[in-house]
Amino acid sequence: MEFRRVADILKNGQPEEAVVVKGWVRTKRELKGFAFTEVNDGSSLAGLQVVLDSDIPDYEANLKQINTGASIEVTGTLVASQGKGQKIELKADTVIIYGEADPETYPLQKKRHSFEFLREISHLRSRTNTLGAVFRVRNACATAIHQFFQEKGFLWIHTPIITASDCEGAGELFTVTNFNLDKLPQDKEGKIDYSQDFFGKPAYLTVSGQLQVEAMAMAFQNVYTFGPTFRAENSNTSRHLAEFWMIEPEMAFCDLEGDQNLAEEFLKYIFQYVLDNCPEDIEFFNKWINKSLLETANNIMSNEFERVTYTKAVELLEKASKKFEFPVEWGIDLQSEHERYLAEELFKKPVIVTNYPKGIKAFYMRLDEGEKTVSAMDVLAPGIGEIIGGSQREERLDILERRIQEMNIEADSLWWYLDLRRYGSVPHAGFGLGFERLVQFITGMANIRDVIPFPRTPDNADF
Amino acid sequence: MEFRRVADILKNGQPEEAVVVKGWVRTKRELKGFAFTEVNDGSSLAGLQVVLDSDIPDYEANLKQINTGASIEVTGTLVASQGKGQKIELKADTVIIYGEADPETYPLQKKRHSFEFLREISHLRSRTNTLGAVFRVRNACATAIHQFFQEKGFLWIHTPIITASDCEGAGELFTVTNFNLDKLPQDKEGKIDYSQDFFGKPAYLTVSGQLQVEAMAMAFQNVYTFGPTFRAENSNTSRHLAEFWMIEPEMAFCDLEGDQNLAEEFLKYIFQYVLDNCPEDIEFFNKWINKSLLETANNIMSNEFERVTYTKAVELLEKASKKFEFPVEWGIDLQSEHERYLAEELFKKPVIVTNYPKGIKAFYMRLDEGEKTVSAMDVLAPGIGEIIGGSQREERLDILERRIQEMNIEADSLWWYLDLRRYGSVPHAGFGLGFERLVQFITGMANIRDVIPFPRTPDNADF
């Protein structure tokens, strides 16, 4: 008899079926002559209730070992449940204890633990209801993302993690080196001799795969990255990680409108997929973590996204009766309060703001006519804020070179990026979104450290 | 009229359909009063043949700009092709040139380029037949891997890239730091003060996600990683990358036999998927890159893998009439020549060798009865060699602690890994395989640098 997952038994199990389950004990209740235990194997939020009659082999000895956290195997027969909350339960014939969990020292006892505490035991926290649900939903999000792009013929591209380019600002970069820091080699002038480092020059962890994936879009038309990116920002907040995963689609022969279309379709698809595939987990989050979760999801899935230019958005904000902490005028970067006003109060649905002032956006974004704005876009969602940022890229060599100069970008390492405009250049566009932010939005988890298995933050690279 | 991908047109296009295609010019042939050009958009190996009659608007001007590498849009009507090799071609009504490619300087002219040369223009090389096919197959492999595991209910787990553990040998690790190397802070004793580094201690790039994914298997039962890993090995060979992607499934309640079953099923599935989804690319590789490619694939897909213990394998090698460069005796690590003999000459099909001497394997592998061997496995395939390595893990706390001591492993950072054996420990097993090696085997490409978009190797982190 092959063993079955708990999720499968709860969904498809029928009374009188003989089954074997393997998992970890969540709870135990002893009564006269019998006991209940709930076994969870991570396949679903709900565990399987197991009934142990005192006439099974080694009842007393087993019962002593069946404690929260212990791993067990139960062979028995499914019966209709008389208790509330489940339709089926397992009547045990035999029990095997694989590994005990001493109730005196096992950190996950049956009580509420703070997320702060759980972070200290990241190797065990997935065995709790909340974190278990988080990582099932995280997996569903990731699967939805691949499925969305693959169905559309986009190729998954693995852009490099280690890079010698440093074009988005040096302050936030981690250095990667093979040097023994105690014995840094020096050149004749007494400077560090990077020619002796592994890559023969200073190297860093990537902050984005966009520039490289643009090169691939110039061969395959539609591509996307889904990989880790890094920021050495010393921000100890609930919104920042030093290491996080990012998704960056890029489309050749595409303009800002096509980019907006893709972003809208993408978000609707992901939310729908997770709701369809993890209904129990999402219900749990909506009940215990963030009560407006389903409302937010439905808002995103059912509304056509509003599209306004930055210039129009500023006008609307200036007209608003609301008082903002940060005063609004053309040229400012929109603050969170402005974005929330637009999405939550004014339009009450997702909004895509486009064509931002060139001064507050990156060098590679396409310069609009009039040369005041660039073809950038930010997707703002109610209850969430900014979730996606993207742009049409500057495909005109002369303008790109001028912008690089104007913005004092170090251009030496960008020779190949300019080549893409030199040979067979095409209009192209793409966007990026942080995967952990997305998982946060879909689960309602307040702290980004609780949606990645082993978070990396200042002073923390444990596990 | 929406534009269509070339792959779609070649497969589904019918004469008299009006279509728009966008892509890059591969070739041009001028004849009297008309011209042919082949347009490729990366969706398939084959391009679409376009016929340009001299009566289309701006014929002469367009023709001057239609050179290899230029990006163009063609609107026209499909017609049955009279030429060999394609059943349909596009008769142009209008042509738009997006971006030119100066024939004097564009590096990819219509001739054979060496792979060495193409590596120097990694930003453009995907526009060639071979590299285009490589990255389509790479995408298909990656998709097959996710699909295989997701269908079986495995969760994709993102294990950390930056880690403070250094348990597999320091020599090969890249250091990750936020220090300004010109001004390393010192403590009172004059040593580098790592408490001031970003993570408060020395940090490295991961060499494997296995230990962390084991923790997740103890909550979700079946999980896998698919992410980048790193080796700071100064090996300038065709088999080594400093940065490569790895897949590591891990199963709770699983032993070495289950592990072998998964590995065999996995390989068959991936090869079958790629053959089904990229037949044209695989045919190309079989014809131009490695003529035994399809034979190898069929061997893997159609044979039941042989399974022998290391001890038995050594006996068979000792009995062999073949002379080996490296003499065989119990205790040695099998060399490539031994592995190839077993798979290619003796069994003529994939072989899984199990239960290796403990002295040549990692500390976390499960000690067999008799304590001479561990429950390790290597999967060897004809024409390929070792492709997968795995093991049942040591789940017994006392034995694991003893092994850590015996092997002088630095155990301080492993407290959490030992906890997994302390609380609800279960038999579990998994394996790892290098993604680029897999893509190499499926494409027949000789150099691993040619199956990853932007390879990182000693002295090379360009692009």
Side-chain angles (χ1 to χ4, degrees), chain B residues 401-416:
Chain B
E401 286 180 323
R402 173 152 62 86
R403 296 280 293 147
I404 286 174
Q405 241 177 359
E406 282 170 12
M407 295 178 75
N408 291 314
I409 308 286
E410 194 271 295
D412 286 359
S413 62
L414 289 178
W415 64 271
W416 59 273

Side-chain angles (χ1 to χ4, degrees), chain A residues 4 8-19 77-80 87-89:
Chain A
R4 285 168 68 179
D8 169 40
I9 292 172
L10 291 177
K11 198 177 166 197
N12 306 312
Q14 297 297 330
E16 297 183 37
E17 276 181 356
V19 301
T77 309
L78 295 180
V79 293
K87 68 183 210 321
I88 206 121
E89 60 190 29

Side-chain angles (χ1 to χ4, degrees), chain B residues 17-296:
Chain B
E17 276 180 356
V19 301
V20 182
V21 292
K22 305 182 183 188
W24 290 267
V25 170
R26 282 291 175 85
T27 59
K28 171 175 71 170
R29 227 165 7 120
E30 291 188 55
L31 298 161
K32 252 208 179 129
F34 66 106
F36 292 111
T37 179
E38 193 198 318
V39 177
N40 188 297
D41 69 357
S43 61
S44 66
L45 186 68
L48 180 66
Q49 172 144 292
V50 175
V51 190
L52 304 154
D53 271 338
S54 59
D55 57 2
I56 65 164
D58 304 315
Y59 177 74
E60 293 295 339
N62 279 331
L63 214 56
K64 224 180 258 173
Q65 297 187 305
I66 295 178
N67 294 304
T68 302
S71 49
I72 69 172
E73 172 179 329
V74 183
T75 304
T77 309
L78 295 179
V79 294
S81 176
Q82 279 140 31
K84 274 185 208 163
Q86 71 263 342
K87 67 182 206 330
I88 205 122
E89 60 189 30
L90 176 59
K91 197 171 171 314
D93 293 327
T94 57
V95 171
I96 298 170
I97 312 286
Y98 284 106
E100 293 189 67
D102 181 354
E104 300 292 316
T105 62
Y106 185 57
L108 288 173
Q109 290 309 316
K110 207 208 160 186
K111 62 166 191 170
R112 203 147 185 159
H113 299 287
S114 75
F115 290 129
E116 289 73 19
F117 169 73
L118 291 177
R119 260 170 246 146
E120 292 168 18
I121 49 164
S122 290
H123 60 307
L124 301 174
R125 66 176 178 166
S126 297
R127 304 181 188 183
T128 64
N129 278 341
T130 306
L131 274 294
V134 164
F135 295 122
R136 274 189 302 275
V137 167
R138 185 181 165 107
N139 174 71
C141 280
T143 302
I145 289 166
H146 280 307
Q147 197 170 299
F148 175 79
F149 287 121
Q150 294 291 331
E151 281 174 1
K152 290 183 166 298
F154 284 56
L155 299 191
W156 183 20
I157 302 295
H158 300 95
T159 47
I161 311 302
I162 299 170
T163 171
S165 316
D166 164 19
C167 56
E168 306 227 10
E172 301 182 350
L173 293 174
F174 283 109
T175 299
V176 175
T177 177
N178 195 26
F179 281 148
N180 176 343
L181 298 192
D182 288 318
K183 294 186 230 164
L184 292 173
Q186 299 190 329
D187 62 17
K188 285 176 194 160
E189 291 164 10
K191 287 184 182 165
I192 295 172
D193 183 5
Y194 283 103
S195 73
Q196 293 185 48
D197 204 354
F198 190 91
F199 295 107
K201 60 179 103 167
Y204 310 96
L205 289 179
T206 185
V207 296
S208 157
Q210 183 203 310
L211 304 192
Q212 289 93 349
V213 92
E214 281 186 51
M216 303 303 274
M218 298 297 116
F220 299 107
Q221 212 168 104
N222 293 333
V223 292
Y224 67 108
T225 70
F226 189 160
T229 51
F230 305 84
R231 295 281 187 291
E233 230 178 311
N234 215 324
S235 307
N236 241 322
T237 79
S238 63
R239 291 166 48 87
H240 292 88
L241 290 169
E243 172 185 315
F244 57 97
W245 287 64
M246 200 143 84
I247 296 102
E248 298 174 289
E250 189 74 30
M251 295 170 284
F253 305 103
C254 180
D255 59 15
L256 189 60
E257 196 193 336
D259 207 22
Q260 292 175 74
N261 294 343
L262 188 80
E264 179 168 347
E265 196 185 340
F266 172 84
L267 281 182
K268 287 176 169 165
Y269 185 100
I270 306 305
F271 274 84
Q272 189 66 59
Y273 183 96
V274 174
L275 259 62
D276 289 346
N277 285 275
C278 305
E280 194 192 28
D281 293 321
I282 293 296
E283 203 181 302
F284 172 85
F285 290 120
N286 194 59
K287 186 167 177 189
W288 297 105
I289 302 293
N290 182 337
K291 290 196 192 307
S292 59
L293 199 66
L294 278 172
E295 198 188 316
T296 300

